[in-house]
């Protein structure tokens, strides 16, 4: 401990002196260069006394300066040749001190005479040697820096990894919720580091590495920080992008330096975040075969499991793109474990919410279990954002606590988008939007098996003019064919309602996003899920794959042209069947369609309770008249306020995106 304090106390002044010396050299070098150039620019010709008298007699001397009565410096009227260069200045020495005869002669020729004392010898000496002192000092400075190896100017190949120390604020597994399985796997690695003999007595070996895989925002980096806080071992943290530089060989050098530091602190943990930046597929494609990224990856593979073993160094990495990683990186012996960190279930979401509200004063009626049930499919980052938005909303209205209504408003803002209160729609546009959303709502109510309605609104949110949101009663991992067909029917409910109420010539661009989602879902039903009798249980190549760096540019085709035409035909058949189903539902429920649309025009937003009252044929409660700030009603305005469908996704059929079907 004393040694550390001594090092810290002396490091500051030393660093200051180095920095000051460097900037002093930066300033003085141009001055020295200027001095050298200045002296070289003023070339003088040495004349003997006889030559000087000859130039004086030829009336070629303009002015002279006599120093100490002996040294004469002067300027010529007509330049002389010196090494092929015209020189108009000269200097000479007098045999004796300047006599009166010489002065009379100079005066006779009209020469301007100046007399001065000689400057101190040390000044002249300093001026003459200053450039050389600076040059030698500069080389000495850089030589010392190269020997030390710590200079930023010569440390391109040094690792940028950060070593977490005891002063770093610790994150423990208690701060992580919703990833119980991932925590168990990581706890086992930590236990191995603390007590390796417990596992080695049965022949077990220390895992080489663990790869955290999962969608963005699920807590992969947070888990790594928790490992750093729990392990009580040296923990090096680095980003995958830190390996890549413009200089050739820098990435491989940094990998070597990183593992050398790890071996020096073994047993330890090295964490590389976003490893897909350096671990992508090798081979042909956009990256070429010998680029800097591949050389960095090759060095990483060698360090993880090469000829020389790195005993006691565990590599922990995180990525949300495991599909682009090189297979050699994923094999056992390098990454022995792939730990999946997926979106949390309802219990996980409740646990995450409890973690984030730990330091927030909550109202008595706050029920996190209800909030967790109403946020299916959200990641840990989304839930943290909901809590933060609720706290900001409560602070905006000077509340002393965060209440349930604040959390509900924040949830809608995160899931559905922020309300665009400044967007003004005309009455015609409000009416079209109301019937469009009412069409989605009626289909959702009448088609069995669909998720219950959560909210219907014609208040613009995000990039949508209106939203019909459904929330599942429980987390769903598999989707039946009936549910998918019902979802397609619901997606077409808005367009069918527009056509039914206003006519085929008055349909709008509002269904653009609905049609896009329906087409994508129907195509996946045919090509991936085997839900078409014409195609059968066969996977048909999807031509919409992204070109991945390091993969081939060509797209592989799994079927013939005839199969492609058959796929298109089946997709169209499924979409037309869903459209016809939506027409039958809305035709038989036209009264309910009008009721919901009129209620939307009056209230702008209907929640699940309002929908339940309309279904039961009961009147809706009166609108609140509280003085609390409320969203202003959208009055008449210009139709130009609606952007074109190709500029934005038109209003969708729900606040949550189409489910990510596996």
């Amino acid at each position: 401990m004393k040694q550390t304090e001594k090092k810290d106390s002396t490091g500051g002044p030393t660093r200051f002196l180095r920095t000051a010396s460097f900037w002093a050299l930066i300033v003085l070098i141009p001055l020295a260069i200027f001095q050298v150039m200045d002296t070289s620019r003023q070339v003088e010709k040495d004349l003997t006394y006889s030559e000087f008298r000859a130039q004086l007699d030829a009336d070629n001397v303009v002015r002279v300066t006599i120093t100490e009565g002996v040294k004469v410096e002067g300027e010529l009227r007509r330049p002389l040749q010196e090494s092929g260069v015209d020189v108009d200045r000269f200097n000479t020495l007098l045999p004796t001190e300047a006599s009166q005869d010489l002065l009379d002669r100079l005066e006779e020729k009209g020469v301007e005479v100046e007399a001065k004392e000689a400057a101190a010898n040390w000044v002249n000496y300093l001026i003459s040697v200053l450039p050389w002192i600076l040059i030698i000092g500069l080389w000495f400075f850089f030589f010392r820096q190269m020997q030390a190896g710590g200079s930023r100017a010569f440390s391109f190949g040094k690792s940028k990894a950060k070593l977490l120390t005891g002063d770093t604020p610790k994150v423990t597994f208690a701060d992580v919720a919703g990833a119980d399985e991932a925590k168990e796997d990581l706890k086992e690695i930590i236990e191995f580091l603390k007590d390796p003999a417990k596992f080695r007595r049965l022949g077990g070996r220390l895992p080489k590495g663990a790869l955290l895989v999962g969608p963005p925002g699920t807590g992969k980096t947070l888990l790594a920080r928790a490992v750093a806080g729990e392990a009580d071992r040296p923990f090096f943290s680095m980003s995958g992008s830190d390996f890549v530089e413009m200089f050739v060989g820098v990435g491989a050098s940094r990998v070597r330096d990183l593992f050398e530091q790890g071996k020096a602190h073994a047993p330890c943990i090295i964490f590389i975040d976003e490893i897909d930046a350096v671990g992508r597929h090798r081979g042909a494609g956009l990256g070429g075969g010998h680029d800097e990224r591949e050389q960095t990856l090759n060095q990483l593979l060698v360090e993880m499991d090469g000829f020389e073993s790195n005993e006691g160094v565990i590599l922990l990495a995180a990525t949300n793109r495991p599909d682009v990683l090189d297979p050699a990186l994923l094999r056992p012996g390098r990454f022995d474990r792939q730990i999946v960190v997926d979106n949390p279930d309802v219990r996980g979401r409740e646990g995450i919410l409890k973690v984030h509200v730990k330091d927030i004063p909550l109202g008595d009626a706050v029920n996190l279990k209800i909030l967790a049930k109403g946020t299916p499919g959200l990641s840990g980052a989304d839930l943290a954002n909901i809590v933060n938005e609720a706290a900001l909303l409560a602070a905006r209205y000077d509340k002393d606590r965060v209440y349930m209504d604040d959390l509900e408003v924040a949830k809608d803002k995160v899931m559905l988008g922020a309300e665009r209160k400044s967007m003004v729609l005309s009455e015609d546009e409000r009416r079209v939007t109301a019937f469009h959303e009412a069409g989605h709502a009626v289909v959702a109510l009448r088609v069995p098996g669909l998720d219950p309605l959560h909210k219907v609104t014609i208040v613009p949110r995000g990039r949508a003019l209106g939203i019909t949101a459904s929330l599942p009663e429980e987390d769903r991992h598999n989707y039946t064919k009936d549910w998918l067909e019902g979802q397609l029917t619901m997606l077409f409910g808005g367009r069918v309602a527009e056509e039914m109420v206003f006519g085929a010539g008055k349909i709008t661009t509002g269904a653009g996003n609905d049609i896009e989602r329906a087409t994508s879902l129907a195509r996946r039903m045919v090509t991936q899920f085997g839900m078409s009798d014409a195609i059968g249980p066969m996977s048909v190549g999807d031509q919409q794959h992204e070109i991945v760096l390091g993969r081939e540019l060509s797209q592989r085709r799994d079927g013939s042209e005839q199969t492609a035409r058959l796929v298109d035909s089946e997709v169209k058949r499924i979409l037309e069947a869903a459209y016809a189903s939506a027409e039958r539902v809305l035709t038989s429920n036209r009264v309910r369609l009008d009721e919901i649309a009129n209620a939307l025009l009056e209230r702008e937003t209907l929640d699940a309770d309002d929908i339940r009252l309309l279904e039961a044929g009961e009147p809706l409660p009166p609108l609140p008249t509280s003085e609390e700030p409320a969203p202003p009603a959208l009055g008449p305005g210009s139709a130009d306020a609606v952007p074109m469908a190709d500029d934005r996704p038109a209003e969708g059929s729900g606040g949550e995106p189409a489910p990510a079907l596996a």
Side-chain angles (χ1 to χ4, degrees), residues 592-608:
R592 186 69 66 222
L593 176 67
D594 294 336
E595 289 177 352
I596 294 178
N598 291 329
L600 285 173
L601 289 172
E602 179 186 358
R603 297 171 176 263
E604 294 189 331
T605 300
L606 300 176
D607 56 20

Side-chain angles (χ1 to χ4, degrees), residues 37-64:
M37 294 179 62
D38 185 67
T39 55
S40 62
R41 195 166 48 246
Q42 298 179 357
V43 181
E44 297 181 348
K45 183 175 178 62
D46 295 328
L47 300 179
T48 63
Y49 180 71
S50 300
E51 292 173 339
F52 165 65
R53 291 300 299 258
Q55 295 296 328
L56 181 62
D57 295 338
D59 200 18
N60 194 29
V61 181
V62 178
R63 63 178 60 88
V64 296

Side-chain angles (χ1 to χ4, degrees), residues 380-400:
D382 295 326
L383 297 173
N385 194 26
I386 289 176
V387 174
N388 184 61
E389 289 287 349
L392 295 178
L393 181 64
R396 186 184 306 163
Y397 294 114
D398 297 325
K399 299 180 179 179
D400 57 344

Side-chain angles (χ1 to χ4, degrees), residues 274-423:
E274 306 295 345
I275 196 173
D276 52 277
V278 70
R280 291 176 178 260
H281 281 269
R282 294 170 294 174
L286 298 179
H290 300 282
D291 62 350
E292 173 67 9
R293 179 185 55 80
E294 288 196 5
Q295 301 307 319
T296 305
L297 175 58
N298 291 337
Q299 186 64 41
L300 181 61
L301 297 176
V302 171
E303 293 291 345
M304 290 183 67
D305 188 22
F307 195 77
E308 297 182 2
S309 64
N310 292 314
E311 191 69 26
V313 179
I314 296 179
L315 182 63
L316 190 65
T319 181
N320 52 29
R321 294 294 307 276
D323 56 307
V324 305
L325 295 180
D326 194 276
L329 190 64
L330 299 176
R331 73 163 176 82
R334 292 196 171 105
F335 283 119
D336 298 278
R337 295 183 178 180
Q338 292 191 29
I339 303 174
V340 178
V341 188
D342 212 342
N343 287 326
D345 56 9
V346 61
R347 290 180 299 175
R349 293 195 296 271
E350 184 181 354
I352 293 173
L353 289 171
K354 289 180 179 179
V355 170
H356 290 296
V357 302
K358 189 166 48 178
D359 299 326
I360 295 178
L362 298 178
D364 297 334
V366 172
N367 192 332
L368 296 181
K369 184 174 293 186
I370 296 177
L371 187 63
K373 289 187 66 175
T375 53
L378 295 193
S379 65
D382 295 326
L383 297 173
N385 194 26
I386 289 176
V387 174
N388 184 61
E389 289 287 349
L392 295 178
L393 181 64
R396 186 184 306 163
Y397 294 114
D398 297 325
K399 299 180 179 179
D400 57 344
R401 295 175 178 272
V402 176
Y403 296 93
M404 192 66 187
D405 58 342
D406 299 319
L407 291 168
E408 288 290 340
V409 172
K411 181 189 72 173
D412 291 343
K413 183 178 182 180
V414 172
M415 297 182 65
L416 310 181
E419 292 186 359
R420 299 167 64 188
K421 301 178 182 179
S422 60
M423 188 174 186

Side-chain angles (χ1 to χ4, degrees), residues 375-378 415-416 451 467-472 476 483 487 517 653-659:
T375 53
L378 295 193
M415 297 182 65
L416 310 181
D451 298 328
I467 290 176
T468 302
S470 300
L471 291 179
R476 184 182 285 109
W483 188 91
Q487 189 74 11
R517 292 168 57 189
S653 61
E656 67 174 342

Side-chain angles (χ1 to χ4, degrees), residues 116 233 248 252 277 299 304 415 575:
K116 67 178 183 178
R233 296 302 306 165
V248 177
Q299 186 64 41
M304 290 183 67
M415 297 182 65
L575 294 176

Side-chain angles (χ1 to χ4, degrees), residues 84-366:
V85 180
D86 291 339
V87 180
D88 59 357
R89 300 189 61 84
F90 71 92
N91 62 77
T92 187
L93 293 176
L94 302 179
T96 59
E97 292 188 5
S99 61
Q100 187 62 39
D101 294 339
L102 177 60
L103 297 176
D104 294 341
R105 185 64 175 167
L106 292 171
E107 187 176 349
E108 179 184 342
K109 293 293 183 179
V111 178
E112 181 181 340
V113 180
E114 180 185 359
K116 67 178 183 178
E117 296 181 353
N121 292 333
W122 65 271
V123 176
N124 294 332
Y125 179 76
L126 181 62
I127 293 175
S128 62
V129 301
L130 180 62
W132 299 104
I133 293 176
L134 292 177
I135 293 173
I136 295 173
L138 180 64
W139 280 107
F140 181 77
F141 173 79
F142 282 111
F143 182 74
R144 289 289 303 271
Q145 295 293 75
M146 286 188 290
Q147 281 188 325
S151 172
R152 290 186 293 269
F154 296 95
S155 63
F156 300 117
K158 295 295 180 181
S159 169
K160 295 184 177 181
K162 299 177 180 178
L163 177 60
L164 300 186
T165 62
D167 299 334
T168 307
K170 283 189 177 182
V171 177
T172 64
F173 284 134
D175 302 317
V176 182
D180 296 335
E181 293 83 2
K183 286 195 293 185
E184 289 299 322
D185 284 338
L186 293 173
K187 284 179 180 178
E188 187 174 305
I189 295 177
I190 295 173
E191 190 176 355
F192 203 120
L193 284 173
K194 292 182 176 181
D195 188 14
K198 176 181 177 181
F199 299 89
R200 287 175 178 170
R201 66 184 180 87
L202 298 178
R205 62 173 180 82
L206 184 68
K208 292 290 186 67
L211 180 64
L212 300 174
V213 179
T218 52
K220 299 182 295 295
T221 305
L222 182 63
L223 276 171
R225 293 171 59 190
V227 170
E230 295 278 354
D232 196 24
R233 296 302 306 165
F235 189 93
F236 295 89
S237 175
M238 192 172 179
S239 173
S241 60
D242 290 336
F243 291 105
V244 183
E245 289 280 359
M246 62 179 291
F247 303 103
V248 177
V250 170
S253 177
R254 287 180 177 174
V255 171
R256 287 191 296 269
D257 184 71
L258 175 62
F259 278 85
E260 286 176 2
Q261 294 183 47
K263 285 186 283 186
H265 293 81
C268 70
I269 299 175
I270 296 175
F271 174 63
I272 301 178
D273 201 5
E274 306 295 345
I275 196 173
D276 52 277
V278 70
R280 291 176 178 260
H281 281 269
R282 294 170 294 174
L286 298 179
H290 300 282
D291 62 350
E292 173 67 9
R293 179 185 55 80
E294 288 196 5
Q295 301 307 319
T296 305
L297 175 58
N298 291 337
Q299 186 64 41
L300 181 61
L301 297 176
V302 171
E303 293 291 345
M304 290 183 67
D305 188 22
F307 195 77
E308 297 182 2
S309 64
N310 292 314
E311 191 69 26
V313 179
I314 296 179
L315 182 63
L316 190 65
T319 181
N320 52 29
R321 294 294 307 276
D323 56 307
V324 305
L325 295 180
D326 194 276
L329 190 64
L330 299 176
R331 73 163 176 82
R334 292 196 171 105
F335 283 119
D336 298 278
R337 295 183 178 180
Q338 292 191 29
I339 303 174
V340 178
V341 188
D342 212 342
N343 287 326
D345 56 9
V346 61
R347 290 180 299 175
R349 293 195 296 271
E350 184 181 354
I352 293 173
L353 289 171
K354 289 180 179 179
V355 170
H356 290 296
V357 302
K358 189 166 48 178
D359 299 326
I360 295 178
L362 298 178
D364 297 334
V366 172

